[in-house]
Amino acid sequence: AVPDPLHHHADMTIGILTTLWKRHALARIVLEHYAHLDLPGVRFVLLAVGSEGDVSRSLAEESGWEYLEHPNDPLSDKWNAGIATLRGRVDAVLIVGSDDIMTSRAIEVVLDQVRSGSDAVGLKDLHYYDTQTGDAYYGVRHMPGAGMMVTADALDRVGWQPWKPGLNRYLDRSFTNRLQTKAYPCRFKYIDNCRDKSADMVDIKTSQNMWQVVQIAAKTGRVHSVSAASFDHTFPDLRDKLKQID
């Protein structure tokens, strides 16, 4: 058959999984960002798991995502339900919060590691943005959760349930532990100095959770302020969009 010249040949299908709960205006910005991704050789399957009925369903579907309804509590069951829905459809899954934006370059850098044999790949450092104050930070994470990509092979070994059921806290730790033990040998790769590689991700904080970043910063000394100009260079237009929602 003659290949269709209009479409990239997708050599990989990547699921992007997120969960929705409240903060709808922010979630819309995030969902639309991923819906517009275009990486040569990659087909994306976007799945959002929500718990607010028609509100979260229409938010997801209007932004170009598939939707699954599931109770919000316990949270690990909600994430597991989403990932199980992608089983058999994707080569790997990228896990993002509904307040996390990864640049397409960051996804490419992660994908390169998957293509060269890693099972689970994450970004060690990332940007934070506080919508309340307009301050931006950059820092190193202790245990990356959001922005992790994990292969279908590794997920097969944990039955597409990478989180321990029944959890509302410590999900990143559970995900890592379960893959390390139940999917052994699971080859983890954490990419550091992400900024130097232009592998940028931002965790957008609203009033509810910004204190954590300030606390982490005080405790570890591994988070520092960055200028608005450098933030705008990395994430053009994002601050303007976020200003409109507060």
Side-chain angles (χ1 to χ4, degrees):
V2 180
D4 180 350
L6 295 175
H7 296 286
H8 298 303
H9 170 61
D11 61 63
M12 285 194 90
T13 301
I14 303 297
I16 301 183
L17 177 67
T18 197
T19 58
L20 302 174
W21 181 249
K22 310 276 171 72
R23 294 185 303 178
H24 302 130
L26 172 57
R28 183 179 306 267
I29 290 171
V30 172
L31 293 173
E32 287 177 351
H33 165 77
Y34 292 106
H36 290 118
L37 284 175
D38 183 22
L39 286 185
V42 179
R43 193 173 77 84
F44 290 107
V45 174
L46 310 175
L47 177 68
V49 189
S51 313
E52 298 164 272
D54 290 343
V55 178
S56 39
R57 175 181 293 279
S58 55
L59 174 64
E61 290 179 350
E62 283 164 19
S63 305
W65 287 58
E66 284 181 36
Y67 181 74
L68 176 70
E69 176 79 16
H70 197 277
N72 196 55
D73 179 0
L75 201 47
S76 63
D77 294 26
K78 182 176 179 176
W79 281 99
N80 276 335
I83 214 153
T85 304
L86 293 168
R87 184 177 202 155
R89 302 176 57 195
V90 298
D91 299 305
V93 179
L94 177 66
I95 292 152
V96 291
S98 55
D99 48 8
D100 298 307
I101 286 183
M102 269 177 101
T103 62
S104 54
R105 177 70 195 135
I107 296 174
E108 237 167 2
V109 167
V110 166
L111 253 177
D112 285 346
Q113 294 297 330
V114 166
R115 286 189 172 114
S116 46
S118 297
D119 296 301
V121 183
L123 305 178
K124 193 78 179 158
D125 34 74
L126 78 168
H127 301 259
Y128 298 95
Y129 183 77
D130 181 354
T131 58
Q132 301 295 298
T133 62
D135 295 330
Y137 303 84
Y138 189 79
V140 178
R141 296 191 284 181
H142 168 54
M143 185 167 285
M148 287 289 292
M149 188 178 288
V150 59
T151 63
D153 277 354
L155 288 168
D156 280 340
R157 299 202 286 276
V158 291
W160 290 71
Q161 301 288 287
W163 292 274
K164 185 179 173 182
L167 295 183
N168 276 317
R169 303 176 60 186
Y170 309 123
L171 267 72
D172 298 342
R173 186 184 302 171
S174 167
F175 179 85
T176 305
N177 287 351
R178 210 158 150 106
L179 285 171
Q180 281 173 339
T181 54
K182 304 256 190 291
Y184 183 85
C186 185
R187 286 159 302 195
F188 274 79
K189 171 74 182 174
Y190 294 112
I191 297 164
D192 56 9
N193 303 321
C194 294
R195 251 197 311 197
D196 303 343
K197 304 174 171 97
S198 299
D200 292 294
M201 175 164 131
V202 60
D203 183 352
I204 300 159
K205 298 292 188 184
T206 51
S207 51
Q208 294 106 312
N209 54 11
M210 190 57 206
W211 60 271
Q212 296 170 316
V213 174
V214 179
Q215 277 190 324
I216 293 165
K219 235 185 352 211
T220 63
R222 297 195 300 183
V223 176
H224 55 264
S225 292
V226 294
S227 72
S230 82
F231 185 82
D232 288 342
H233 176 72
T234 308
F235 301 98
D237 309 329
L238 180 57
R239 275 187 333 135
D240 290 341
K241 284 181 190 162
L242 293 171
K243 271 183 197 133
Q244 291 160 24
I245 68 172
D246 264 5

